[in-house]
Amino acid sequence: MNIFTKVMIVIVLMLIPVVMMYNSSNKISTGVVEQELLQVNMNRIRFFVEQMDVEADRLWRAAFVVASDPDALQLQLRSSSEPSYSMLQSKTLLLQKLDMQSTTFQWVNDFTVYSPVSDVMVSTNYLQQHDADYFRNSSQQRWDYRMIVTERGPENAFVRDLITPFESNAKPENPNLYVEVSFSSENLVKMLDRFKQGSVGEPFLYCPGFEPIMPRESEPDLINAMAKQFDKIKAQNPTEGSVKLTFRNEPYLVNYVASASLGWYLIDFQPMQKVLEPIDHSKKMFYAAGLLLLVLGVAAAALLYRNVQKPIYDLIRAVKSLRRGEYGHRVKHISNNEFYYLIEQFNLMSHDIQTLIDKVYTEQLQAKESSLKHLQAQINPHFLYNNFAYIQSMAQLERTKAIVAFTQHLSQYYRYTTRTEQQLTSLAEEMELIRNYLEIHRMQSERLQFHEQIELGMFSLLMPRLLFQPLVENAIVHGMEGKMGKFEIVITGKQTEEGWELIVEDNGVGMQQAELNALRHSLQLKSSADHSLGLRNVHQRLRHYFGQSSGLLIDHSSLGGLRVGLMIKNGGDSDI
């Protein structure tokens, strides 16, 4: 491993224990916050329910006070047939006492006194119809939640009736007096509004069979949906409890307490995302700081790489290039750096070597390079190995006909490529070589298909041997690799106004425009170490035999891959 890799590993190893320790600490602190939050919220809910029960119990005790009032007792002795003035005076006096009793409470309430004996009624709610039929379904044991009519309009209210003579377990058969106490659900809405202030939760009162009582600024859809799930929540503990659950893909903390007086549940559910938002913010800040430290560490390592590691690599690559004979290789100068002198001296040494070689051996090296490239174009060891592997596999499968056909194509291919006594050949012979070459590949891969569209008059065209075959080989090697499905090669040849053209098109992977421009530029270089050596050799041979106006055409193909062709111009300085 190089220095840069080691530095990066050290940075990562330093950050790993820090991140692990923070995650553990964050998990513990989150759990503590959740438990404390559940406990604190449970205490708030208990206090709220206790206040609500105290006020409801005070109202119920006030009914006993009203029932024992002398004027209320006298009401059952009076008759509705008495003179109107006397009856009105008596009812007015009792109504004043009921109003005084009503105003002593924080909640908006109403008191009603009705005597079935005398059929006389006195109430602070003069809009509600109170008669014998109304009190037939009265509730003495619990608070009843129903719709009543008040001076504020129809509204839901909690109603409870005291019936004398009082019996704790049942209604008396012949009641003397009804004392009804009622208070609007708006009182509880106001209490919920105050309870919700400064909290992220959604409190509401709920009793199975009734619509939830909720604050004014709330989410009714969410509360109604949560209320439907409450029967499952309170299954383990029907009195009070705290649970953590996931609802609609979001975690919630749910606290609930049952009211002993009203029989309703106060439920408060708080979204964990909002509750733990400060902790999440702190967590994000920590990760941001960790990421910043990681970026700074990478920057420091990159600086080390750029100023130390990269110059060393450049010198190593330069030495390897010299060993390969690329004496024109130079290392770029890096100013204000300790490697500046070393790189400068290497470039001077490389320049001196190149100058010496150019003076003495240039022509000999060019001749050897041309011969070497020609031999490389003729014999491809990987191609030969693949053919032997195919023959072996066919032999194991006992497919003798395939072996015979394959070896015939292979023998004809190598018979042509190893024949060196003739420098020129006809297009017909070159195409026969290409057909053998493509047939060899087609037998190995059935997804290869090729087509010919060459004018008949072109088959007598003379050209250097193995000039057209490298274009087809490049299409197979570079276009077919990485291409899924059918691979198609189309070979066309036609006469133009300026001469001839032979085109090889494929539907392979193709090239980006930048790569295509770089490949075109490399054709003009005399030497290079990239993969375009075969195409550059074809381009140089074309210009050598057919003149400087001829050359290699490289462009995008309408089939999706590349379009590579030989452009042979008439009127050149070719002996052919």
Side-chain angles (χ1 to χ4, degrees), residues 107-163:
W107 289 353
V108 177
N109 59 82
D110 287 301
F111 285 90
T112 300
V113 178
Y114 174 73
S115 173
V117 177
S118 61
D119 193 26
V120 177
M121 183 270 299
V122 177
S123 176
T124 57
N125 180 12
Y126 59 89
L127 294 180
Q128 179 66 44
Q129 181 69 28
H130 296 92
D131 52 21
D133 291 335
Y134 174 82
F135 287 101
R136 185 171 292 111
N137 296 322
S138 60
S139 174
Q140 180 171 261
Q141 303 301 324
R142 58 181 178 80
W143 289 92
D144 187 22
Y145 186 66
R146 63 174 181 261
M147 179 74 71
I148 64 173
V149 180
T150 67
E151 59 184 7
R152 298 175 296 277
E155 62 183 11
N156 291 316
F158 289 88
V159 181
R160 193 171 182 180
D161 296 289
L162 175 63
I163 307 173

Side-chain angles (χ1 to χ4, degrees), residues 93-106:
L93 182 60
L94 181 59
L95 181 61
Q96 290 177 351
K97 292 182 178 181
L98 293 180
D99 286 335
M100 292 178 59
Q101 189 70 256
S102 176
T103 55
T104 59
F105 296 95
Q106 296 181 358

Side-chain angles (χ1 to χ4, degrees), residues 401-442:
K401 292 183 179 180
I403 297 174
V404 171
F406 188 86
T407 53
Q408 285 178 352
H409 291 297
L410 188 62
S411 64
Q412 292 175 8
Y413 174 82
Y414 278 105
R415 184 181 297 113
Y416 180 89
T417 57
T418 56
R419 199 182 341 167
T420 59
E421 67 274 6
Q422 294 181 357
Q423 295 296 323
L424 300 177
T425 185
S426 65
L427 178 59
E429 293 182 352
E430 188 79 357
M431 284 303 301
E432 186 64 23
L433 168 71
I434 292 173
R435 294 188 192 99
N436 288 320
Y437 179 79
L438 290 174
E439 192 64 25
I440 290 172
H441 280 283
R442 191 192 63 79

Side-chain angles (χ1 to χ4, degrees), residues 180-191:
E180 182 179 271
V181 184
S182 65
F183 62 91
S184 172
S185 61
E186 285 296 316
N187 298 298
L188 303 182
V189 172
K190 293 178 181 179
M191 289 185 67

